[in-house]
């Protein structure tokens, strides 16, 4: 089925059924489609606050995936986790009802906005999209937003606005961002990742090049000029604007640090445009902020809003998120799950003045752990203490024969815990004032940090 056929269905009066409607990008999609005049229904496997919210908007949601849910619908849209074997998808196919992917629907919606800002890259997408959102909110341009994480200013990961701008975190996995229609495409960096889908780094670069090629001549491609793989992917492409820490059309000058927090000027074509003071630490966040400021400048957003939006940004959920204290140690949680992200996180953490950095890392997927084993082993040598949780399987089964014990054996002094209870015990027993304890990974490792904080509260109450 041709992707552009979906545009014939995203029109007022059409009856759309969303399978997996409670998901983080499906529930805002339902809201936006309803705003476009479509008649929306949906199904999900469980009750949730998102489901309740949709019902409050008059959108009926069925718990359970039943063939009769799609009867009489004009189109079905499914989340990425739903396959052809799903009863509703099978029923739609049998009835000749067109089935579209979530990314295709977002792409069709995007065509209705004057400005479609799409943030891509192996690392930093959620943070940079969140920074762009803060800038747009400061400028009061009433944006529609889709982020792959929770942003405190929104209380969720999405926003349905009535302005002319849509801001989307744009993921390369399964080439989903190739369904989009960006007017401004940001490429933060490119590394070998999602190797359960892509063949190799060349395949990943090819996907990002195709993404950049989606931008019309009237639009803008903003790319990290200091990232070798990004420049290789865009080789020969004309009219690309670059950004970087030290070099590029947009870059930083007069960078200073105050207790780990940076201030700097964003320079465009050798002219200072904005002075930025960040409330989030780390050189990687300077780069993210330069990219966000560059996108905002390209879109004509006022400098004062760029400065205010970035100064007000305190981080996205699970991005160096403070969880509390345990026995005087500070507990932070981070979503880093690729060696490049870990390197940035641990490099930043080492400069914050703690006596020890203790890292509890949960590898994410067997294929990623196997493919990037040596890189993970090398970067996880950096903390003073490294503990490993068992690998978070996500969508996989362990067909490659890899374990966290293998990784621990390659890191001097590291230990792999059998379960979260054991890991929590190890961390709590070790914790002392002056420690930074990091729970790290894209799975459910954050619950360990929460358990540490809770145990500390209980022990103080019982003392």
């Amino acid at each position: 089925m041709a992707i552009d056929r979906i545009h014939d269905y995203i029109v007022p009066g059409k009856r759309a059924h969303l399978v997996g409607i409670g998901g983080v990008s499906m529930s805002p999609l339902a809201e936006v489609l309803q705003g476009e005049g479509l008649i929306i229904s949906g199904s999900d496997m469980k009750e949730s606050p998102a489901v309740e919210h949709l019902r409050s908007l008059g959108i009926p949601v069925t718990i359970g995936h039943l063939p009769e849910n799609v009867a009489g619908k004009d189109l079905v849209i499914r989340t990425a986790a739903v396959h052809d074997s799903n009863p509703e998808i099978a029923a739609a196919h049998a009835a000749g009802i067109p089935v579209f992917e979530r990314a295709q629907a977002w792409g069709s919606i995007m065509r209705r906005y004057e400005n479609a800002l799409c943030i891509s890259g192996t690392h930093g997408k959620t943070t940079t999209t969140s920074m762009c959102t803060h800038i747009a909110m400061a400028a009061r341009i009433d944006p529609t937003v889709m982020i792959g994480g929770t942003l405190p200013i929104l209380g969720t990961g999405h926003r349905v606005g009535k302005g002319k701008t849509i801001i989307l975190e744009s993921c390369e996995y399964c080439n989903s961002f190739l369904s989009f229609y960006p007017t401004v495409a940001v490429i933060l960096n490119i590394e070998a990742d999602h190797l359960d889908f892509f063949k190799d780094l060349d395949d990943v670069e090819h996907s990002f090049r195709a993404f950049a090629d989606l931008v019309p001549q009237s639009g803008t491609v903003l790319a990290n000029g200091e990232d070798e793989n990004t420049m290789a992917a865009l080789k020969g492409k004309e009219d690309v604007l670059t950004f970087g820490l030290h070099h590029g059309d947009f870059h930083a000058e007069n960078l200073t640090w105050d207790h780990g927090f940076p201030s700097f000027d964003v320079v465009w074509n050798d002219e200072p445009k904005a002075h930025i003071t960040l409330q989030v630490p780390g050189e990687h966040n300077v780069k993210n902020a330069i990219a966000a400021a560059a996108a905002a400048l390209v879109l004509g957003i006022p400098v004062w809003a760029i400065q205010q939006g970035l100064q007000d940004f305190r981080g996205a959920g699970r991005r160096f998120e403070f969880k509390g204290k345990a026995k005087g140690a500070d507990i932070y949680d981070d979503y880093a799950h690729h060696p490049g992200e870990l390197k940035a996180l641990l490099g930043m953490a080492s400069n914050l003045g703690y006596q020890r950095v203790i890292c509890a890392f949960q590898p994410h997927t067997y294929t990623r752990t196997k493919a990037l084993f040596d890189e993970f082993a090398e970067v996880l040598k950096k903390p003073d203490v490294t503990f490993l949780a068992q690998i978070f399987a996500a969508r996989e089964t362990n067909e490659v024969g890899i374990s966290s014990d293998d990784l621990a054996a390659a890191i001097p002094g590291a230990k792999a815990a059998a379960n979260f209870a054991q890991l929590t015990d190890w961390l709590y027993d070790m914790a002392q004032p002056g420690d930074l304890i990091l729970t790290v990974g894209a799975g459910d490792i954050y619950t360990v940090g929460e358990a540490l904080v809770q145990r500390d509260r209980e022990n103080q109450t019982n003392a």
Side-chain angles (χ1 to χ4, degrees):
M1 181 176 295
I3 283 178
D4 58 2
R5 275 196 59 191
I6 191 170
H7 308 313
D8 300 332
Y9 290 88
I10 307 293
V11 294
K14 291 287 188 183
R15 294 159 297 177
H17 182 77
L18 277 60
V19 185
I21 198 168
V24 291
S25 70
M26 289 291 280
S27 54
L29 175 62
E31 280 192 61
V32 174
L33 290 173
Q34 185 185 53
E36 294 279 341
L38 281 77
I39 301 163
I40 306 299
S41 65
S43 62
D44 208 277
M45 290 305 293
K46 61 181 185 297
E47 299 282 357
S48 68
V51 166
E52 283 305 306
H53 174 65
L54 292 172
R55 287 182 179 141
S56 76
L57 300 176
I59 297 173
V61 179
T62 304
I63 300 303
H65 295 165
L66 309 170
E68 54 266 32
N69 287 342
V70 303
K73 306 304 179 185
D74 295 304
L75 70 154
V76 170
I77 301 170
R78 62 179 170 185
T79 185
V82 171
H83 304 295
D84 286 349
S85 57
N86 178 278
E88 295 183 0
I89 303 303
H93 285 317
I97 300 169
V99 176
F100 298 103
E101 306 296 328
R102 174 190 63 196
Q104 292 173 266
W106 276 115
S108 182
I109 288 165
M110 208 176 294
R111 306 207 316 174
R112 293 156 165 75
Y113 288 84
E114 185 177 309
N115 305 313
L117 172 55
C118 295
I119 313 295
S120 74
T122 308
H123 324 301
K125 291 187 294 294
T126 297
T127 295
T128 307
T129 308
S130 299
M131 287 176 167
C132 290
T133 300
H134 263 264
I135 292 169
M137 296 289 282
R140 298 179 178 85
I141 60 175
D142 198 11
T144 293
V145 178
M146 183 61 241
I147 305 171
T150 299
L151 183 59
I153 193 176
L154 303 180
T156 181
H158 68 274
R159 181 181 193 277
V160 180
K162 293 183 170 60
K164 299 177 181 177
T165 300
I166 185 168
I167 304 170
L168 279 102
E169 180 173 338
S170 305
C171 184
E172 72 275 18
Y173 185 58
C174 295
N175 286 327
S176 64
F177 64 1
L178 299 188
S179 294
F180 290 175
Y181 291 83
T183 63
V184 178
V186 176
I187 301 177
L188 298 169
N189 42 62
I190 300 174
E191 290 193 37
D193 196 15
H194 298 303
L195 297 177
D196 56 328
F197 175 75
F198 294 110
K199 293 191 290 291
D200 50 27
L201 177 59
D202 285 343
D203 198 20
V204 179
E205 290 180 1
H206 182 267
S207 182
F208 276 93
R209 175 57 179 260
F211 172 66
D213 287 341
L214 294 173
V215 178
Q217 276 195 316
S218 58
T220 304
V221 176
L222 277 167
N224 184 348
E226 295 174 341
D227 184 66
E228 184 178 331
N229 295 338
T230 299
M231 289 295 96
L234 299 179
K235 186 176 181 180
K237 186 169 181 61
E238 297 180 354
D239 301 324
V240 173
L241 290 178
T242 59
F243 63 87
L245 188 62
H246 306 290
H247 308 287
D249 298 305
F250 299 87
H251 61 271
E253 289 185 1
N254 304 316
L255 174 61
T256 59
W257 298 88
D258 182 8
H259 296 90
F261 297 98
S263 296
F264 55 95
D265 295 323
V266 174
V267 175
W268 184 8
N269 289 334
D270 300 322
E271 183 181 341
K273 290 291 184 181
H275 182 72
I276 306 301
T277 301
L278 292 180
Q279 305 301 316
V280 287
E283 193 173 270
H284 61 295
N285 277 321
V286 177
K287 296 177 186 177
N288 292 336
I290 294 168
L297 287 166
V298 165
L299 289 171
I301 292 176
V303 168
W304 65 264
I306 297 171
Q307 293 174 162
Q308 181 183 323
L310 289 173
Q311 183 163 358
D312 291 345
F313 178 68
R314 296 294 190 278
R318 300 217 58 210
R319 272 67 181 181
F320 199 63
E321 180 181 4
F322 181 64
K323 306 298 285 190
K325 286 179 173 286
K327 291 170 65 181
D330 286 345
I331 315 294
Y332 280 81
D333 179 69
D334 197 274
Y335 193 74
H337 57 285
H338 186 281
E341 295 164 343
L342 277 167
K343 184 178 180 182
L345 171 68
L346 296 172
M348 176 266 292
S350 68
N351 291 322
L352 294 180
Y354 287 93
Q355 291 174 15
R356 292 190 302 179
V357 175
I358 301 168
C359 178
F361 177 62
Q362 180 186 40
H364 190 264
T365 73
Y366 303 108
T367 52
R368 182 183 283 115
T369 307
K370 177 87 169 180
L372 304 175
F373 184 91
D374 292 342
E375 291 92 329
F376 276 121
E378 187 62 31
V379 74
L380 287 168
K381 293 174 184 175
K382 293 183 181 299
D384 297 290
V385 180
T386 295
F387 293 137
L388 295 164
Q390 294 303 306
I391 295 171
F392 188 81
R395 54 194 170 264
E396 296 182 347
T397 54
N398 190 5
E399 297 176 1
V400 294
I402 193 79
S403 74
S404 290
D405 295 292
D406 298 327
L407 198 51
I411 304 166
K415 293 196 298 183
N419 49 50
F420 279 177
Q422 184 180 47
L423 180 58
T424 303
D425 287 343
W426 287 353
L427 291 168
Y428 195 80
D429 290 345
M430 172 172 279
Q432 62 188 35
D435 285 346
L436 169 61
I437 297 178
L438 293 168
T439 58
V440 186
D444 52 357
I445 185 74
Y446 65 90
T447 61
V448 171
E450 293 171 353
L452 285 169
V453 174
Q454 181 63 28
R455 182 181 296 187
D456 196 64
R457 286 181 186 141
E458 291 171 355
N459 287 345
Q460 287 187 27
T461 300
N462 297 330

